[in-house]
Amino acid sequence: DIQMTQSPSSLPASLGDRVTITCRASQDIGNYLRWFQQKPGKSPRLMIYGATNLANGVPSRFSGSRSGSDYSLTINSLESEDMAIYYCLQHNEYPYTFGAGTKLELK
Amino acid sequence: EVQLVETGGGLVQPGKSLKLTCATSGFTFSNAWMHWVRQSPEKQLEWVAQIKAKSNNYATYYAESVKGRFTISRDDSKSSVYLQMNSLKEEDTAIYYCTQSSYWGQGVMVTVSS
C-alpha cells in the first residue's frame, strides 16, 4: 500500500499567518492527490484536487503544490474559519490512502 | 443541490451484519464512481470501497481490512449506493461516509460491540 506521511500532526498558528502542511508519498502517485478540510462534527470538504487545483467555492488563499513526492497545502493569511483538521488522500492506486491528518489550531 | 444521505447505521454485535444505504440527488448518479470512507473514533480516515459506473462494468475495489466481508453495490434507478457489512468486528466501529469524491454525506455511525 502507498503510505502518505503527513506533517505536522499539529500546527499552532496565528490569524494572518501563512501555513504549510505536507504529505510525502511512499511511491509515485503523479498528481492524484486531494486535500480535505474537516471541521468538528462535519464531513470532510474537498479543498484541492489534482494536487494543485482549487475545488469549487474554496477561497483563493488556499493553494496546493508538488515537489517530487512531497505535496503541500498552503494557506495564506490564515482566518479563524480555517481552523480544522486537514487530510491528504492519494487516489492513484488501490487501496486509496489518507494521511493521518494535521490539526490546525490557534496559537 | 447535491445531497447524499446515509442510513442504516446502529449498534450491532460482533459477527453480525448491517447494510448501509446512501441515497443521492442533484448529480448524474449513473456516471459517478461512488465510495465508502470511514472515520474511526480516533479520527483516522480510511477508504473502504469503490464502485465504478455501468460503463466501467460496475467494477468494485476494497480495502484489505474489509475484503471478503463487505460488499458495495449500487442501484442506478434509485441513485443509491449500498454497503453490505458481514462478520462485523469491533474495529469496524466508525462513522461511515458515502462520497462521490467532491461531495460527501453527513455520515452514519456504526458501533460494533457486545
Side-chain angles (χ1 to χ4, degrees), chain A residues 1 34 36 38 40-46 55-56 85 87 89 91 94-101, chain B residues 33 35 37 39 42-47 50 52 61-64 97 99 101-107:
Chain A
D1 297 1
R34 294 177 177 148
F36 294 90
Q38 188 178 32
K42 300 293 186 181
S43 307
R45 173 193 178 189
L46 179 66
N56 286 343
I85 301 177
Y87 298 91
L89 166 72
H91 59 106
Y94 297 105
Y96 294 175
T97 45
F98 286 90
Chain B
W33 294 3
H35 307 256
V37 171
Q39 187 166 38
E42 296 76 29
K43 302 300 184 186
Q44 180 58 51
L45 289 168
E46 180 186 17
W47 173 83
Q50 179 195 48
K52 292 188 174 181
Y61 305 86
Y62 297 91
E64 201 61 40
Y97 295 100
T99 171
S101 298
S102 299
Y103 303 105
W104 292 59
Q106 82 287 353

Side-chain angles (χ1 to χ4, degrees), chain A residues 7-107:
Chain A
S7 61
S9 57
S10 176
L11 183 53
S14 301
L15 299 181
D17 281 355
R18 180 175 186 263
V19 300
T20 297
I21 299 166
T22 299
C23 274
R24 174 168 290 174
S26 63
Q27 300 173 38
D28 178 43
I29 60 169
N31 285 333
Y32 291 93
L33 190 286
R34 294 177 177 148
W35 289 99
F36 294 90
Q37 175 194 69
Q38 188 178 32
K39 296 183 178 180
K42 300 293 186 181
S43 307
R45 173 193 178 189
L46 179 66
M47 305 299 282
I48 300 287
Y49 66 94
T52 61
N53 302 293
L54 215 57
N56 286 343
V58 174
S60 58
R61 62 181 180 274
F62 288 85
S63 63
S65 62
R66 174 190 176 185
S67 176
S69 60
D70 289 342
Y71 298 80
S72 296
L73 172 71
T74 298
I75 311 172
N76 286 305
S77 192
L78 205 58
E79 298 191 8
S80 57
E81 65 181 31
D82 301 333
M83 300 307 154
I85 301 177
Y86 292 84
Y87 298 91
C88 63
L89 166 72
Q90 72 78 21
H91 59 106
N92 179 66
E93 182 180 295
Y94 297 105
Y96 294 175
T97 45
F98 286 90
T102 295
K103 187 173 185 179
L104 184 56
E105 50 197 359
L106 279 175
K107 191 180 291 183

Side-chain angles (χ1 to χ4, degrees), chain B residues 61-103:
Chain B
Y61 305 86
Y62 297 91
E64 201 61 40
S65 59
V66 306
K67 199 175 292 183
R69 300 188 299 123
F70 290 12
T71 302
I72 188 171
S73 61
R74 64 191 292 160
D75 185 337
D76 289 348
S77 69
K78 295 182 178 179
S79 297
S80 294
V81 62
Y82 309 95
L83 187 67
Q84 175 67 47
M85 305 184 293
N86 298 333
S87 303
L88 281 161
K89 304 176 181 179
E90 290 190 351
E91 51 263 41
D92 295 319
T93 294
I95 298 172
Y96 284 74
Y97 295 100
C98 162
T99 171
Q100 173 265 356
S101 298
S102 299
Y103 303 105

